[in-house]
Amino acid sequence: MNKNYRLSRTKKPTLADVAKLAGVSLGSASRALSVPEQVKPTTLEKVNQAVAQLGYIRDGSARALASRRTHTIAAVYPTLNNPIFAQSTHSMQQALWDRGYQLLIASHEYHTQDELPIVRATLERGVDGIIMVGTDHSEEVFSILSQLNMPYVLTWSVDDSHYPYCVGISNFDASYKLAQYVIKHGHTRIAICGGPIENNERSRGRRNGILTAAAHAGIEVPEKWMTIQPFSYKGGRQGLRELWALEDRPSVLFCGTDLQAIGALYECQMLGIRVPEDLSIVGFDGMEEATMVHPKLTTIRIPAHDIGSRAALLMLELLAGNTPPKEQPIQTEIIPGESLGRV
């Protein structure tokens, strides 16, 4: 380190200042910040110390202009209010960060009409690629991505799409498997509390998986036992109240997410409904919180961390100009709990 180097307090530090303070060449300082694995550890330490001492921040716009890359990937989520998405985001961000990329996150909170302006605004900020949840998106969204030749990856679902770069599960298959498991417990009086199925292939696949498994078992699910609610604790509570107000009641309630299921469990406690003696409740997601409620929730686990990291690595493959093989559906796992009883 050049201990005698001094910088004016009014001057914004430059890369040249970093190099001079570290006592290295401008090229070495640049490589230390761009490709640290390609410089000597002693050089890297000197440059990092100089960066910290000067408070140096790289000029992202200049860097992007020179490389035609911003080293930023955008991820658009339907909501930031579900812990399962936080798990995916964490793994995605870590995988990108380890390879020199930043993650920019946006959300439309299930207002699908807002997705296009959000995607447009995100692209205008300058990103190298975009990761989106689900396969259901408007033609306008796909059109703008095509016009810009923007790499994109779809996550959480492989249903209703022939796009090769979808990282996720088959929501239909997972719900079908879960419904079979519940039916083997003797349940024939099935109710469903899910989210809106329009513009949401995940919600649609989960509902259709349950209905198909029931039909294959000779069970009919009446329309009155299917309620559409927000993907939230409140949605689960409201769905439970509506179903329990009926004179003819189900023996099991399938919820579209663990959030809804936990909300329904809470409402059962408020109304004095015994779970699973009076009503069994089943979730979907495999959130850690599902193991902390009483009774422990029966659910099916989505490998959220795996989805996030795999989506990030797939995006980097696309940015490198490679043609990765088509992604296969990620497997899910049924998590037994005390909220499901036998009939």
Side-chain angles (χ1 to χ4, degrees):
M1 289 284 291
N2 185 351
K3 297 181 179 180
N4 297 321
Y5 182 76
R6 294 290 185 272
L7 179 71
S8 168
R9 291 179 180 270
T10 60
K11 180 185 175 185
K12 181 180 178 180
T14 65
L15 183 60
D17 296 320
V18 171
K20 190 169 184 179
L21 180 59
V24 301
S25 69
L26 186 62
S28 294
S30 178
R31 285 193 297 275
L33 296 177
S34 301
V35 282
E37 68 278 4
Q38 295 182 14
V39 301
K40 296 178 180 178
T42 53
T43 300
L44 181 60
E45 182 179 2
K46 290 178 181 178
V47 172
N48 285 338
Q49 287 179 357
V51 166
Q53 182 174 330
L54 294 173
Y56 171 71
I57 298 176
R58 284 185 288 178
D59 187 338
S61 58
R63 181 186 179 206
L65 186 62
S67 66
R68 296 188 178 181
R69 287 282 177 88
T70 65
H71 287 81
T72 300
I73 304 299
V76 179
Y77 283 87
T79 182
L80 300 178
N81 198 35
N82 190 333
I84 198 74
F85 287 138
Q87 296 177 20
S88 174
T89 303
H90 174 79
S91 298
M92 187 183 297
Q93 179 171 270
Q94 191 60 53
L96 291 172
W97 177 262
D98 289 345
R99 291 157 181 83
Y101 281 77
Q102 300 285 343
L103 181 64
L104 176 67
I105 302 172
S107 168
H108 52 74
E109 295 303 325
Y110 289 108
H111 299 149
T112 54
Q113 72 276 10
D114 292 334
E115 184 177 41
L116 177 60
I118 287 175
V119 168
R120 187 185 299 276
T122 300
L123 295 174
E124 288 174 351
R125 290 180 63 89
V127 296
D128 298 333
I130 189 165
I131 298 172
M132 299 185 293
V133 171
T135 60
D136 253 6
H137 303 278
S138 70
E139 286 300 321
E140 290 83 1
V141 167
F142 288 123
S143 177
I144 192 173
L145 294 176
S146 176
Q147 290 172 13
L148 295 174
N149 197 27
M150 178 66 59
Y152 67 92
V153 173
L154 305 179
T155 63
W156 288 92
S157 180
V158 298
D159 298 314
D160 298 349
S161 177
H162 297 293
Y163 186 64
Y165 308 127
C166 298
V167 180
I169 69 168
S170 168
N171 288 275
F172 178 92
D173 290 348
S175 280
Y176 186 94
K177 177 171 67 174
L178 183 59
Q180 283 185 316
Y181 178 77
V182 171
I183 291 169
K184 286 180 181 178
H185 281 65
H187 290 277
T188 59
R189 301 170 63 78
I190 294 172
I192 302 173
C193 175
I197 61 176
E198 186 178 1
N199 301 318
N200 189 327
E201 88 296 330
R202 301 173 309 287
S203 181
R204 200 162 55 243
R206 294 174 192 185
R207 175 173 173 169
N208 290 342
I210 297 167
L211 293 177
T212 302
H216 287 172
I219 300 168
E220 181 181 355
V221 180
E223 189 71 31
K224 65 181 179 181
W225 284 353
M226 290 186 281
T227 179
I228 294 178
Q229 301 292 340
F231 290 120
S232 62
Y233 298 127
K234 185 177 180 180
R237 296 184 65 183
Q238 178 62 29
L240 186 282
R241 285 195 299 269
E242 289 184 6
L243 291 167
W244 212 248
L246 299 173
E247 184 176 345
D248 187 24
R249 295 168 176 170
S251 67
V252 62
L253 173 60
F254 282 89
C255 292
T257 65
D258 285 348
L259 290 179
Q260 289 178 325
I262 293 172
L265 276 174
Y266 178 80
E267 194 63 20
C268 284
Q269 295 174 1
M270 296 297 99
L271 298 177
I273 302 168
R274 299 174 302 164
V275 178
E277 292 85 356
D278 300 329
L279 177 70
S280 289
I281 295 179
V282 178
F284 196 107
D285 277 342
M287 288 167 40
E288 185 178 0
E289 289 82 353
T291 67
M292 301 178 183
V293 296
H294 180 76
K296 180 182 174 182
L297 189 64
T298 295
T299 184
I300 191 162
R301 177 177 293 142
I302 299 177
H305 285 294
D306 196 21
I307 290 174
S309 58
R310 284 175 61 170
L313 296 178
L314 178 56
M315 173 56 71
L316 295 178
E317 283 288 304
L318 296 177
L319 288 173
N322 299 327
T323 306
K326 181 176 181 178
E327 288 284 323
Q328 297 301 310
I330 300 176
Q331 296 303 304
T332 56
E333 176 189 6
I334 293 176
I335 309 298
E338 292 78 32
S339 69
L340 174 64
R342 291 188 176 272
V343 177

PDB file of all heavy atoms in Angstrom, residues 251-286:
ATOM      1  N   SER A 251     -64.713 -33.164   4.568  1.00  0.00           N
ATOM      2  CA  SER A 251     -63.880 -33.784   5.606  1.00  0.00           C
ATOM      3  C   SER A 251     -62.427 -33.345   5.492  1.00  0.00           C
ATOM      4  O   SER A 251     -61.652 -33.498   6.440  1.00  0.00           O
ATOM      5  CB  SER A 251     -63.948 -35.313   5.512  1.00  0.00           C
ATOM      6  OG  SER A 251     -63.345 -35.776   4.304  1.00  0.00           O
ATOM      7  N   VAL A 252     -62.040 -32.810   4.329  1.00  0.00           N
ATOM      8  CA  VAL A 252     -60.661 -32.357   4.140  1.00  0.00           C
ATOM      9  C   VAL A 252     -60.665 -31.103   3.282  1.00  0.00           C
ATOM     10  O   VAL A 252     -61.468 -30.959   2.360  1.00  0.00           O
ATOM     11  CB  VAL A 252     -59.788 -33.459   3.483  1.00  0.00           C
ATOM     12  CG1 VAL A 252     -60.294 -33.830   2.091  1.00  0.00           C
ATOM     13  CG2 VAL A 252     -58.319 -33.037   3.440  1.00  0.00           C
ATOM     14  N   LEU A 253     -59.758 -30.194   3.601  1.00  0.00           N
ATOM     15  CA  LEU A 253     -59.606 -28.947   2.856  1.00  0.00           C
ATOM     16  C   LEU A 253     -58.208 -28.881   2.265  1.00  0.00           C
ATOM     17  O   LEU A 253     -57.210 -28.872   2.994  1.00  0.00           O
ATOM     18  CB  LEU A 253     -59.838 -27.743   3.767  1.00  0.00           C
ATOM     19  CG  LEU A 253     -59.556 -26.362   3.154  1.00  0.00           C
ATOM     20  CD1 LEU A 253     -60.448 -26.112   1.944  1.00  0.00           C
ATOM     21  CD2 LEU A 253     -59.742 -25.265   4.210  1.00  0.00           C
ATOM     22  N   PHE A 254     -58.123 -28.869   0.931  1.00  0.00           N
ATOM     23  CA  PHE A 254     -56.855 -28.639   0.230  1.00  0.00           C
ATOM     24  C   PHE A 254     -56.671 -27.136   0.068  1.00  0.00           C
ATOM     25  O   PHE A 254     -57.546 -26.452  -0.459  1.00  0.00           O
ATOM     26  CB  PHE A 254     -56.879 -29.279  -1.158  1.00  0.00           C
ATOM     27  CG  PHE A 254     -56.673 -30.763  -1.180  1.00  0.00           C
ATOM     28  CD1 PHE A 254     -57.758 -31.617  -1.083  1.00  0.00           C
ATOM     29  CD2 PHE A 254     -55.410 -31.313  -1.312  1.00  0.00           C
ATOM     30  CE1 PHE A 254     -57.593 -32.991  -1.117  1.00  0.00           C
ATOM     31  CE2 PHE A 254     -55.224 -32.687  -1.348  1.00  0.00           C
ATOM     32  CZ  PHE A 254     -56.326 -33.531  -1.253  1.00  0.00           C
ATOM     33  N   CYS A 255     -55.514 -26.627   0.484  1.00  0.00           N
ATOM     34  CA  CYS A 255     -55.204 -25.208   0.307  1.00  0.00           C
ATOM     35  C   CYS A 255     -54.134 -25.045  -0.763  1.00  0.00           C
ATOM     36  O   CYS A 255     -53.224 -25.878  -0.877  1.00  0.00           O
ATOM     37  CB  CYS A 255     -54.739 -24.585   1.617  1.00  0.00           C
ATOM     38  SG  CYS A 255     -56.040 -24.492   2.869  1.00  0.00           S
ATOM     39  N   GLY A 256     -54.226 -23.967  -1.533  1.00  0.00           N
ATOM     40  CA  GLY A 256     -53.304 -23.747  -2.636  1.00  0.00           C
ATOM     41  C   GLY A 256     -51.899 -23.411  -2.201  1.00  0.00           C
ATOM     42  O   GLY A 256     -50.942 -23.600  -2.966  1.00  0.00           O
ATOM     43  N   THR A 257     -51.726 -22.903  -0.988  1.00  0.00           N
ATOM     44  CA  THR A 257     -50.411 -22.601  -0.428  1.00  0.00           C
ATOM     45  C   THR A 257     -50.424 -22.905   1.061  1.00  0.00           C
ATOM     46  O   THR A 257     -51.483 -22.998   1.690  1.00  0.00           O
ATOM     47  CB  THR A 257     -50.034 -21.117  -0.602  1.00  0.00           C
ATOM     48  OG1 THR A 257     -50.933 -20.318   0.172  1.00  0.00           O
ATOM     49  CG2 THR A 257     -50.091 -20.688  -2.058  1.00  0.00           C
ATOM     50  N   ASP A 258     -49.232 -23.030   1.635  1.00  0.00           N
ATOM     51  CA  ASP A 258     -49.137 -23.207   3.088  1.00  0.00           C
ATOM     52  C   ASP A 258     -49.650 -21.977   3.821  1.00  0.00           C
ATOM     53  O   ASP A 258     -50.166 -22.086   4.943  1.00  0.00           O
ATOM     54  CB  ASP A 258     -47.687 -23.479   3.493  1.00  0.00           C
ATOM     55  CG  ASP A 258     -47.237 -24.895   3.150  1.00  0.00           C
ATOM     56  OD1 ASP A 258     -48.101 -25.727   2.803  1.00  0.00           O
ATOM     57  OD2 ASP A 258     -46.022 -25.158   3.212  1.00  0.00           O
ATOM     58  N   LEU A 259     -49.500 -20.798   3.220  1.00  0.00           N
ATOM     59  CA  LEU A 259     -50.018 -19.586   3.863  1.00  0.00           C
ATOM     60  C   LEU A 259     -51.523 -19.708   4.086  1.00  0.00           C
ATOM     61  O   LEU A 259     -52.036 -19.417   5.170  1.00  0.00           O
ATOM     62  CB  LEU A 259     -49.721 -18.349   3.008  1.00  0.00           C
ATOM     63  CG  LEU A 259     -48.265 -17.889   2.913  1.00  0.00           C
ATOM     64  CD1 LEU A 259     -48.177 -16.667   2.006  1.00  0.00           C
ATOM     65  CD2 LEU A 259     -47.691 -17.561   4.280  1.00  0.00           C
ATOM     66  N   GLN A 260     -52.240 -20.131   3.056  1.00  0.00           N
ATOM     67  CA  GLN A 260     -53.687 -20.324   3.200  1.00  0.00           C
ATOM     68  C   GLN A 260     -53.985 -21.401   4.234  1.00  0.00           C
ATOM     69  O   GLN A 260     -54.904 -21.253   5.048  1.00  0.00           O
ATOM     70  CB  GLN A 260     -54.304 -20.708   1.851  1.00  0.00           C
ATOM     71  CG  GLN A 260     -54.341 -19.594   0.835  1.00  0.00           C
ATOM     72  CD  GLN A 260     -54.917 -20.053  -0.495  1.00  0.00           C
ATOM     73  OE1 GLN A 260     -54.725 -21.183  -0.917  1.00  0.00           O
ATOM     74  NE2 GLN A 260     -55.624 -19.155  -1.175  1.00  0.00           N
ATOM     75  N   ALA A 261     -53.219 -22.490   4.201  1.00  0.00           N
ATOM     76  CA  ALA A 261     -53.466 -23.597   5.121  1.00  0.00           C
ATOM     77  C   ALA A 261     -53.245 -23.180   6.573  1.00  0.00           C
ATOM     78  O   ALA A 261     -54.023 -23.545   7.466  1.00  0.00           O
ATOM     79  CB  ALA A 261     -52.576 -24.790   4.774  1.00  0.00           C
ATOM     80  N   ILE A 262     -52.202 -22.415   6.839  1.00  0.00           N
ATOM     81  CA  ILE A 262     -51.930 -21.946   8.202  1.00  0.00           C
ATOM     82  C   ILE A 262     -53.031 -20.990   8.643  1.00  0.00           C
ATOM     83  O   ILE A 262     -53.474 -21.016   9.800  1.00  0.00           O
ATOM     84  CB  ILE A 262     -50.538 -21.287   8.275  1.00  0.00           C
ATOM     85  CG1 ILE A 262     -49.450 -22.349   8.051  1.00  0.00           C
ATOM     86  CG2 ILE A 262     -50.331 -20.602   9.622  1.00  0.00           C
ATOM     87  CD1 ILE A 262     -48.052 -21.774   7.917  1.00  0.00           C
ATOM     88  N   GLY A 263     -53.490 -20.134   7.726  1.00  0.00           N
ATOM     89  CA  GLY A 263     -54.613 -19.260   8.045  1.00  0.00           C
ATOM     90  C   GLY A 263     -55.865 -20.043   8.373  1.00  0.00           C
ATOM     91  O   GLY A 263     -56.600 -19.712   9.315  1.00  0.00           O
ATOM     92  N   ALA A 264     -56.130 -21.117   7.616  1.00  0.00           N
ATOM     93  CA  ALA A 264     -57.299 -21.965   7.877  1.00  0.00           C
ATOM     94  C   ALA A 264     -57.175 -22.676   9.221  1.00  0.00           C
ATOM     95  O   ALA A 264     -58.152 -22.790   9.972  1.00  0.00           O
ATOM     96  CB  ALA A 264     -57.459 -22.985   6.750  1.00  0.00           C
ATOM     97  N   LEU A 265     -55.963 -23.137   9.552  1.00  0.00           N
ATOM     98  CA  LEU A 265     -55.729 -23.769  10.854  1.00  0.00           C
ATOM     99  C   LEU A 265     -56.038 -22.793  11.987  1.00  0.00           C
ATOM    100  O   LEU A 265     -56.677 -23.156  12.994  1.00  0.00           O
ATOM    101  CB  LEU A 265     -54.274 -24.236  10.960  1.00  0.00           C
ATOM    102  CG  LEU A 265     -53.906 -25.589  10.362  1.00  0.00           C
ATOM    103  CD1 LEU A 265     -52.405 -25.809  10.445  1.00  0.00           C
ATOM    104  CD2 LEU A 265     -54.632 -26.719  11.092  1.00  0.00           C
ATOM    105  N   TYR A 266     -55.568 -21.577  11.831  1.00  0.00           N
ATOM    106  CA  TYR A 266     -55.801 -20.564  12.867  1.00  0.00           C
ATOM    107  C   TYR A 266     -57.297 -20.298  13.023  1.00  0.00           C
ATOM    108  O   TYR A 266     -57.802 -20.187  14.153  1.00  0.00           O
ATOM    109  CB  TYR A 266     -55.072 -19.276  12.500  1.00  0.00           C
ATOM    110  CG  TYR A 266     -55.292 -18.154  13.494  1.00  0.00           C
ATOM    111  CD1 TYR A 266     -54.574 -18.114  14.685  1.00  0.00           C
ATOM    112  CD2 TYR A 266     -56.216 -17.146  13.248  1.00  0.00           C
ATOM    113  CE1 TYR A 266     -54.775 -17.096  15.608  1.00  0.00           C
ATOM    114  CE2 TYR A 266     -56.424 -16.126  14.156  1.00  0.00           C
ATOM    115  CZ  TYR A 266     -55.704 -16.100  15.331  1.00  0.00           C
ATOM    116  OH  TYR A 266     -55.914 -15.102  16.240  1.00  0.00           O
ATOM    117  N   GLU A 267     -57.996 -20.202  11.902  1.00  0.00           N
ATOM    118  CA  GLU A 267     -59.425 -19.929  11.974  1.00  0.00           C
ATOM    119  C   GLU A 267     -60.176 -21.090  12.628  1.00  0.00           C
ATOM    120  O   GLU A 267     -61.164 -20.875  13.346  1.00  0.00           O
ATOM    121  CB  GLU A 267     -59.982 -19.660  10.570  1.00  0.00           C
ATOM    122  CG  GLU A 267     -61.356 -19.043  10.554  1.00  0.00           C
ATOM    123  CD  GLU A 267     -61.395 -17.656  11.200  1.00  0.00           C
ATOM    124  OE1 GLU A 267     -60.325 -17.013  11.329  1.00  0.00           O
ATOM    125  OE2 GLU A 267     -62.507 -17.216  11.575  1.00  0.00           O
ATOM    126  N   CYS A 268     -59.694 -22.298  12.404  1.00  0.00           N
ATOM    127  CA  CYS A 268     -60.293 -23.468  13.079  1.00  0.00           C
ATOM    128  C   CYS A 268     -60.171 -23.322  14.596  1.00  0.00           C
ATOM    129  O   CYS A 268     -61.104 -23.618  15.344  1.00  0.00           O
ATOM    130  CB  CYS A 268     -59.621 -24.758  12.616  1.00  0.00           C
ATOM    131  SG  CYS A 268     -60.135 -25.314  10.980  1.00  0.00           S
ATOM    132  N   GLN A 269     -59.021 -22.874  15.047  1.00  0.00           N
ATOM    133  CA  GLN A 269     -58.827 -22.662  16.483  1.00  0.00           C
ATOM    134  C   GLN A 269     -59.793 -21.600  17.005  1.00  0.00           C
ATOM    135  O   GLN A 269     -60.352 -21.740  18.094  1.00  0.00           O
ATOM    136  CB  GLN A 269     -57.381 -22.260  16.762  1.00  0.00           C
ATOM    137  CG  GLN A 269     -56.365 -23.349  16.447  1.00  0.00           C
ATOM    138  CD  GLN A 269     -54.931 -22.870  16.587  1.00  0.00           C
ATOM    139  OE1 GLN A 269     -54.677 -21.712  16.936  1.00  0.00           O
ATOM    140  NE2 GLN A 269     -53.979 -23.749  16.306  1.00  0.00           N
ATOM    141  N   MET A 270     -59.996 -20.536  16.224  1.00  0.00           N
ATOM    142  CA  MET A 270     -60.895 -19.469  16.634  1.00  0.00           C
ATOM    143  C   MET A 270     -62.351 -19.948  16.711  1.00  0.00           C
ATOM    144  O   MET A 270     -63.125 -19.490  17.561  1.00  0.00           O
ATOM    145  CB  MET A 270     -60.795 -18.294  15.665  1.00  0.00           C
ATOM    146  CG  MET A 270     -59.441 -17.592  15.617  1.00  0.00           C
ATOM    147  SD  MET A 270     -58.977 -16.816  17.209  1.00  0.00           S
ATOM    148  CE  MET A 270     -57.870 -18.076  17.884  1.00  0.00           C
ATOM    149  N   LEU A 271     -62.721 -20.874  15.826  1.00  0.00           N
ATOM    150  CA  LEU A 271     -64.105 -21.340  15.760  1.00  0.00           C
ATOM    151  C   LEU A 271     -64.341 -22.627  16.550  1.00  0.00           C
ATOM    152  O   LEU A 271     -65.462 -23.141  16.570  1.00  0.00           O
ATOM    153  CB  LEU A 271     -64.503 -21.564  14.291  1.00  0.00           C
ATOM    154  CG  LEU A 271     -64.484 -20.331  13.384  1.00  0.00           C
ATOM    155  CD1 LEU A 271     -64.834 -20.717  11.956  1.00  0.00           C
ATOM    156  CD2 LEU A 271     -65.443 -19.259  13.903  1.00  0.00           C
ATOM    157  N   GLY A 272     -63.302 -23.144  17.175  1.00  0.00           N
ATOM    158  CA  GLY A 272     -63.447 -24.372  17.951  1.00  0.00           C
ATOM    159  C   GLY A 272     -63.569 -25.626  17.096  1.00  0.00           C
ATOM    160  O   GLY A 272     -64.129 -26.639  17.536  1.00  0.00           O
ATOM    161  N   ILE A 273     -63.041 -25.575  15.889  1.00  0.00           N
ATOM    162  CA  ILE A 273     -63.066 -26.734  14.988  1.00  0.00           C
ATOM    163  C   ILE A 273     -61.810 -27.566  15.246  1.00  0.00           C
ATOM    164  O   ILE A 273     -60.685 -27.052  15.171  1.00  0.00           O
ATOM    165  CB  ILE A 273     -63.106 -26.283  13.518  1.00  0.00           C
ATOM    166  CG1 ILE A 273     -64.328 -25.391  13.258  1.00  0.00           C
ATOM    167  CG2 ILE A 273     -63.112 -27.480  12.582  1.00  0.00           C
ATOM    168  CD1 ILE A 273     -64.284 -24.685  11.917  1.00  0.00           C
ATOM    169  N   ARG A 274     -61.999 -28.834  15.532  1.00  0.00           N
ATOM    170  CA  ARG A 274     -60.860 -29.705  15.833  1.00  0.00           C
ATOM    171  C   ARG A 274     -60.218 -30.201  14.534  1.00  0.00           C
ATOM    172  O   ARG A 274     -60.892 -30.685  13.641  1.00  0.00           O
ATOM    173  CB  ARG A 274     -61.312 -30.888  16.678  1.00  0.00           C
ATOM    174  CG  ARG A 274     -61.918 -30.511  18.036  1.00  0.00           C
ATOM    175  CD  ARG A 274     -62.473 -31.757  18.715  1.00  0.00           C
ATOM    176  NE  ARG A 274     -63.493 -32.398  17.867  1.00  0.00           N
ATOM    177  CZ  ARG A 274     -63.927 -33.641  18.046  1.00  0.00           C
ATOM    178  NH1 ARG A 274     -63.434 -34.380  19.032  1.00  0.00           N
ATOM    179  NH2 ARG A 274     -64.860 -34.158  17.240  1.00  0.00           N
ATOM    180  N   VAL A 275     -58.901 -30.078  14.486  1.00  0.00           N
ATOM    181  CA  VAL A 275     -58.124 -30.566  13.344  1.00  0.00           C
ATOM    182  C   VAL A 275     -57.180 -31.650  13.861  1.00  0.00           C
ATOM    183  O   VAL A 275     -56.402 -31.404  14.786  1.00  0.00           O
ATOM    184  CB  VAL A 275     -57.308 -29.428  12.694  1.00  0.00           C
ATOM    185  CG1 VAL A 275     -56.467 -29.959  11.529  1.00  0.00           C
ATOM    186  CG2 VAL A 275     -58.225 -28.299  12.217  1.00  0.00           C
ATOM    187  N   PRO A 276     -57.285 -32.905  13.340  1.00  0.00           N
ATOM    188  CA  PRO A 276     -58.035 -33.299  12.145  1.00  0.00           C
ATOM    189  C   PRO A 276     -59.373 -33.994  12.444  1.00  0.00           C
ATOM    190  O   PRO A 276     -59.996 -34.515  11.516  1.00  0.00           O
ATOM    191  CB  PRO A 276     -57.082 -34.291  11.493  1.00  0.00           C
ATOM    192  CG  PRO A 276     -56.469 -35.011  12.664  1.00  0.00           C
ATOM    193  CD  PRO A 276     -56.335 -33.955  13.750  1.00  0.00           C
ATOM    194  N   GLU A 277     -59.799 -33.995  13.710  1.00  0.00           N
ATOM    195  CA  GLU A 277     -61.004 -34.757  14.045  1.00  0.00           C
ATOM    196  C   GLU A 277     -62.238 -34.268  13.293  1.00  0.00           C
ATOM    197  O   GLU A 277     -63.017 -35.079  12.752  1.00  0.00           O
ATOM    198  CB  GLU A 277     -61.264 -34.695  15.557  1.00  0.00           C
ATOM    199  CG  GLU A 277     -60.225 -35.424  16.401  1.00  0.00           C
ATOM    200  CD  GLU A 277     -59.015 -34.555  16.702  1.00  0.00           C
ATOM    201  OE1 GLU A 277     -58.957 -33.399  16.191  1.00  0.00           O
ATOM    202  OE2 GLU A 277     -58.131 -35.017  17.446  1.00  0.00           O
ATOM    203  N   ASP A 278     -62.433 -32.952  13.242  1.00  0.00           N
ATOM    204  CA  ASP A 278     -63.598 -32.391  12.543  1.00  0.00           C
ATOM    205  C   ASP A 278     -63.292 -32.080  11.080  1.00  0.00           C
ATOM    206  O   ASP A 278     -64.177 -32.175  10.216  1.00  0.00           O
ATOM    207  CB  ASP A 278     -64.075 -31.109  13.238  1.00  0.00           C
ATOM    208  CG  ASP A 278     -64.490 -31.357  14.677  1.00  0.00           C
ATOM    209  OD1 ASP A 278     -64.978 -32.468  14.962  1.00  0.00           O
ATOM    210  OD2 ASP A 278     -64.315 -30.448  15.503  1.00  0.00           O
ATOM    211  N   LEU A 279     -62.078 -31.677  10.829  1.00  0.00           N
ATOM    212  CA  LEU A 279     -61.676 -31.302   9.473  1.00  0.00           C
ATOM    213  C   LEU A 279     -60.169 -31.483   9.320  1.00  0.00           C
ATOM    214  O   LEU A 279     -59.402 -31.033  10.171  1.00  0.00           O
ATOM    215  CB  LEU A 279     -62.034 -29.839   9.190  1.00  0.00           C
ATOM    216  CG  LEU A 279     -61.605 -29.290   7.826  1.00  0.00           C
ATOM    217  CD1 LEU A 279     -62.434 -29.923   6.701  1.00  0.00           C
ATOM    218  CD2 LEU A 279     -61.728 -27.762   7.785  1.00  0.00           C
ATOM    219  N   SER A 280     -59.770 -32.172   8.248  1.00  0.00           N
ATOM    220  CA  SER A 280     -58.343 -32.271   7.914  1.00  0.00           C
ATOM    221  C   SER A 280     -57.975 -31.111   6.997  1.00  0.00           C
ATOM    222  O   SER A 280     -58.795 -30.652   6.191  1.00  0.00           O
ATOM    223  CB  SER A 280     -58.043 -33.599   7.213  1.00  0.00           C
ATOM    224  OG  SER A 280     -58.143 -34.683   8.106  1.00  0.00           O
ATOM    225  N   ILE A 281     -56.725 -30.625   7.133  1.00  0.00           N
ATOM    226  CA  ILE A 281     -56.252 -29.503   6.313  1.00  0.00           C
ATOM    227  C   ILE A 281     -54.900 -29.873   5.695  1.00  0.00           C
ATOM    228  O   ILE A 281     -54.011 -30.393   6.385  1.00  0.00           O
ATOM    229  CB  ILE A 281     -56.132 -28.216   7.140  1.00  0.00           C
ATOM    230  CG1 ILE A 281     -57.517 -27.771   7.622  1.00  0.00           C
ATOM    231  CG2 ILE A 281     -55.463 -27.103   6.338  1.00  0.00           C
ATOM    232  CD1 ILE A 281     -57.510 -26.522   8.482  1.00  0.00           C
ATOM    233  N   VAL A 282     -54.772 -29.589   4.397  1.00  0.00           N
ATOM    234  CA  VAL A 282     -53.559 -29.924   3.656  1.00  0.00           C
ATOM    235  C   VAL A 282     -53.051 -28.669   2.962  1.00  0.00           C
ATOM    236  O   VAL A 282     -53.839 -27.904   2.388  1.00  0.00           O
ATOM    237  CB  VAL A 282     -53.846 -31.029   2.610  1.00  0.00           C
ATOM    238  CG1 VAL A 282     -52.599 -31.343   1.792  1.00  0.00           C
ATOM    239  CG2 VAL A 282     -54.362 -32.290   3.298  1.00  0.00           C
ATOM    240  N   GLY A 283     -51.746 -28.439   3.021  1.00  0.00           N
ATOM    241  CA  GLY A 283     -51.142 -27.275   2.389  1.00  0.00           C
ATOM    242  C   GLY A 283     -50.405 -27.612   1.107  1.00  0.00           C
ATOM    243  O   GLY A 283     -50.519 -28.722   0.570  1.00  0.00           O
ATOM    244  N   PHE A 284     -49.619 -26.643   0.637  1.00  0.00           N
ATOM    245  CA  PHE A 284     -48.815 -26.836  -0.579  1.00  0.00           C
ATOM    246  C   PHE A 284     -47.691 -25.818  -0.564  1.00  0.00           C
ATOM    247  O   PHE A 284     -47.944 -24.615  -0.488  1.00  0.00           O
ATOM    248  CB  PHE A 284     -49.679 -26.626  -1.829  1.00  0.00           C
ATOM    249  CG  PHE A 284     -49.065 -27.160  -3.100  1.00  0.00           C
ATOM    250  CD1 PHE A 284     -49.562 -28.297  -3.696  1.00  0.00           C
ATOM    251  CD2 PHE A 284     -47.985 -26.531  -3.695  1.00  0.00           C
ATOM    252  CE1 PHE A 284     -49.009 -28.798  -4.880  1.00  0.00           C
ATOM    253  CE2 PHE A 284     -47.406 -27.017  -4.853  1.00  0.00           C
ATOM    254  CZ  PHE A 284     -47.922 -28.151  -5.455  1.00  0.00           C
ATOM    255  N   ASP A 285     -46.471 -26.250  -0.576  1.00  0.00           N
ATOM    256  CA  ASP A 285     -45.241 -25.439  -0.648  1.00  0.00           C
ATOM    257  C   ASP A 285     -44.123 -26.076   0.162  1.00  0.00           C
ATOM    258  O   ASP A 285     -42.969 -26.063  -0.253  1.00  0.00           O
ATOM    259  CB  ASP A 285     -45.422 -24.000  -0.148  1.00  0.00           C
ATOM    260  CG  ASP A 285     -45.988 -23.075  -1.210  1.00  0.00           C
ATOM    261  OD1 ASP A 285     -45.914 -23.438  -2.397  1.00  0.00           O
ATOM    262  OD2 ASP A 285     -46.530 -22.016  -0.857  1.00  0.00           O
ATOM    263  N   GLY A 286     -44.452 -26.571   1.384  1.00  0.00           N
ATOM    264  CA  GLY A 286     -43.411 -27.113   2.244  1.00  0.00           C
ATOM    265  C   GLY A 286     -42.614 -26.041   2.948  1.00  0.00           C
ATOM    266  O   GLY A 286     -41.405 -26.188   3.175  1.00  0.00           O
TER     267      GLY A 286
END
